[in-house]
């Protein structure tokens, strides 16, 4: 089959690779009809996530048709149309039983590698390094889906791929950002990052009743899209974000702050940005935590900082004094996609949101290298790339 493979830093290539096969009783093989390039794929593309190997199949946002099932798969049949969550979860371990499927205790065969960096291992992820399982991803014609009877969500044929594809990752991730922040009626929320995950965080805050949402970015087309959703916007290259947020909230700061950027943040202070880039390049820290620092310093006393942008290791100069003395709460994590998929599917089915609003570019799978370059460079007002095998 054809698949998009990681071939080194800033390099991907569509290659012929072996077709996936059933390996375990609860496996299914899915013929992929739509897949996408995620912002967190760019961390792999840029070489910031360790334990990648040349030839690894990328992609963790995908959906398609079940074409084969293992003998232990209940509730799925050949021909079912499914969306596949990006964390691989068994459904029966202690973490899964508590709804924390991104922490599944049974899916990562390389847990020992993750434990060395993270202390304990989270769940395996599709197409996201050998530290997180080494499973081939979904930017391909077919994919093996472990624990398919728990992981794959059946969807109706009357909903287009573009309306349900993002239930695999970015819509639940954005929603979990709002959920972890306990966003509710009357809240003022600041969202750093108006990429696809940030857009879904903004939309999710409004779904949950937020009074105001303030989107922070520097890319014009992203800020325009956030405004179309109802957000107020700040260009961090034009204003001091903490000062602007204080002014917009009567000096209090936002009640809730969501970091939808993560480890490759940019900052208008060129000296500070150069400091973190240099430390990151020298592997003295793995992150550029500008957003994380700014969110903590900007958040209202007693507020919540919710982190859904991906971080990989260690960060420098975290403002712990502000965090501790102002009674802030921080919640962070890879998304427990399985927990949110049914509720968000209902929102889509009811017409509360059309997730396709983030799609700007559609390409065949063979154009995946072009898609990565376009997405990385934000060329042609690129917000989200969908690939069709």
């Amino acid at each position: 089959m054809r698949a998009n493979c990681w071939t080194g830093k800033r390099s991907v290539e569509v290659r012929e690779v072996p077709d996936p096969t059933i390996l375990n009783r609860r496996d299914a093989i899915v013929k992929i009809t739509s897949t996408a390039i995620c912002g967190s794929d760019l961390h792999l593309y840029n070489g910031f996530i360790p334990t990648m190997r040349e030839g690894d199949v990328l992609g963790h946002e995908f959906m398609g048709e079940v074409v084969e099932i293992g003998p232990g798969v209940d509730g799925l049949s050949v021909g079912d149309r499914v969306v596949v969550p990006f964390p691989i979860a068994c459904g029966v371990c202690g973490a899964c039983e508590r709804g924390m499927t991104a922490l599944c205790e049974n899916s990562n065969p390389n847990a020992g590698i993750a434990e060395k960096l993270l202390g304990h291992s989270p769940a395996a992820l599709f197409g996201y390094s050998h530290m997180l399982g080494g499973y081939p991803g979904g930017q391909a014609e077919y994919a093996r889906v472990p624990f398919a009877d728990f992981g794959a969500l059946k969807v109706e044929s009357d909903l287009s791929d573009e309306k349900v594809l993002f239930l695999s990752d970015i819509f639940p991730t954005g929603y979990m950002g709002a959920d972890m922040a306990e966003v509710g009626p009357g809240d003022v929320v600041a969202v750093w990052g108006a990429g696809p995950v940030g857009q879904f965080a903004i939309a999710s805050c409004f779904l949950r009743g937020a009074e105001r949402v303030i989107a922070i970015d520097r890319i014009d087309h992203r800020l325009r899209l956030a405004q179309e959703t109802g957000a107020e916007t700040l260009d961090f290259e034009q204003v001091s974000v903490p000062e602007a947020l204080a002014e917009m909230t009567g000096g209090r700061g936002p009640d809730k702050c969501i970091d939808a950027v993560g480890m490759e943040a940019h900052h208008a202070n060129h000296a500070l940005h150069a400091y973190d880039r240099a430390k990151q390049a020298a592997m003295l820290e793995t992150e550029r935590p500008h957003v994380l620092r700014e969110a903590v310093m900007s958040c209202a006393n007693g507020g919540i900082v919710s982190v859904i942008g991906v971080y990989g290791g260690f960060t420098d100069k975290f403002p712990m004094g502000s965090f501790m003395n102002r009674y802030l709460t921080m919640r962070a994590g890879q998304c427990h996609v399985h927990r949110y998929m049914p509720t968000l599917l209902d929102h889509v089915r009811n017409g509360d949101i059309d997730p396709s609003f983030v799609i700007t570019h559609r390409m065949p799978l063979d154009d995946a290298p072009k898609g990565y370059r376009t997405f990385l460079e934000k060329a042609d007002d690129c917000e989200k790339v969908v690939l069709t095998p």
Side-chain angles (χ1 to χ4, degrees):
M1 69 172 184
R2 289 162 29 257
N4 186 45
C5 300
W6 188 87
T7 51
K9 184 176 180 179
R10 297 280 177 96
S11 176
V12 297
E13 181 180 317
V14 177
R15 295 179 171 179
E16 293 287 326
V17 303
D19 291 340
T21 58
I22 298 290
L23 299 180
N24 298 303
R25 291 177 54 82
R26 296 176 63 193
D27 287 351
I29 305 299
V30 172
K31 181 180 180 181
I32 295 166
T33 56
S34 293
T35 183
I37 302 172
C38 183
S40 56
D41 287 326
L42 297 182
H43 301 322
L44 304 175
Y45 188 65
N46 286 330
F48 289 119
I49 302 297
T51 70
M52 291 294 293
R53 298 176 188 170
E54 196 268 342
D56 284 347
V57 178
L58 297 173
H60 57 267
E61 293 180 306
F62 62 96
M63 65 174 295
E65 178 187 342
V66 176
V67 293
E68 187 178 356
I69 58 174
V73 174
D74 296 321
L76 283 182
S77 302
V78 171
D80 283 343
R81 184 167 174 253
V82 295
V83 179
V84 180
F86 79 87
I88 300 170
C90 71
V92 296
C93 69
C96 287
E97 287 182 344
R98 297 194 303 275
M100 297 188 292
T101 53
L103 302 176
C104 176
E105 298 160 359
N106 289 324
S107 64
N108 188 359
N110 300 327
I113 301 174
E115 288 165 0
K116 290 178 181 178
L117 179 63
L118 305 176
H120 296 275
S121 176
L125 310 180
F126 285 103
Y128 215 81
S129 84
H130 290 264
M131 175 178 73
L132 296 177
Y135 290 88
Q139 290 169 7
E141 293 181 296
Y142 295 88
R144 178 175 75 94
V145 179
F147 308 115
D149 50 337
F150 178 68
L153 177 72
K154 289 193 287 188
V155 292
E156 298 89 341
S157 59
D158 61 321
L159 294 172
S160 69
D161 278 19
E162 292 189 353
K163 287 191 175 184
V164 295
L165 171 61
F166 302 135
L167 293 172
S168 62
D169 178 3
I170 55 174
F171 187 8
T173 296
Y175 192 89
M176 183 167 134
D179 188 29
M180 290 193 299
E182 300 179 8
V183 172
D187 278 339
V188 178
V189 187
V191 177
W192 278 259
V197 169
Q199 298 291 345
F200 280 113
I202 293 164
S204 297
C205 288
F206 284 125
L207 281 174
R208 294 172 61 93
E211 181 175 323
R212 298 170 64 196
V213 180
I214 303 164
I216 301 151
D217 207 298
R218 63 180 179 139
I219 307 299
D220 286 342
H221 71 264
R222 290 181 164 187
L223 294 171
R224 289 196 302 270
L225 189 58
Q227 288 172 340
E228 291 172 9
T229 307
E232 304 162 61
T233 58
L234 291 175
D235 181 340
F236 68 77
E237 290 190 332
Q238 303 299 319
V239 298
S240 164
V241 171
E243 291 178 5
L245 289 174
E247 183 176 343
M248 295 169 78
T249 57
R252 294 179 62 252
D255 303 297
K256 315 291 170 61
C257 294
I258 299 175
D259 172 0
V261 178
M263 67 191 300
E264 292 189 72
H266 294 265
H267 199 277
N269 183 323
H270 297 294
L272 181 59
H273 185 63
Y275 166 85
D276 278 306
R277 280 195 76 97
K279 293 201 72 172
Q280 193 178 49
M283 298 306 292
L284 296 174
E285 67 173 339
T286 53
E287 334 290 1
R288 298 199 299 266
H290 308 308
V291 165
L292 192 59
R293 296 174 186 141
E294 206 164 71
V296 169
M297 296 298 289
S298 301
C299 194
N301 288 347
I304 300 175
V305 177
S306 173
V307 183
I308 51 176
V310 171
Y311 288 88
F314 299 92
T315 190
D316 190 16
K317 292 183 169 52
F318 179 79
M320 191 64 201
S322 174
F323 183 77
M324 181 267 170
N325 284 285
R326 299 196 300 110
Y327 194 63
L328 299 181
T329 297
M330 181 184 294
R331 297 192 180 104
Q334 294 282 5
C335 183
H336 306 307
V337 175
H338 303 66
R339 178 194 297 179
Y340 296 104
M341 288 176 89
T343 297
L344 298 183
L345 178 59
D346 285 342
H347 277 300
V348 175
R349 189 184 290 116
N350 295 338
D352 301 326
I353 184 170
D354 179 353
S356 66
F357 79 97
V358 298
I359 302 172
T360 53
H361 290 67
R362 299 164 177 85
M363 301 181 184
L365 177 64
D366 288 338
D367 285 348
K370 175 185 175 183
Y372 271 76
R373 291 191 301 271
T374 302
F375 193 26
L376 176 69
E377 296 165 3
K378 303 175 184 64
D380 189 29
D381 288 353
C382 183
E383 181 76 9
K384 186 69 173 178
V385 180
V386 171
L387 303 171
T388 304

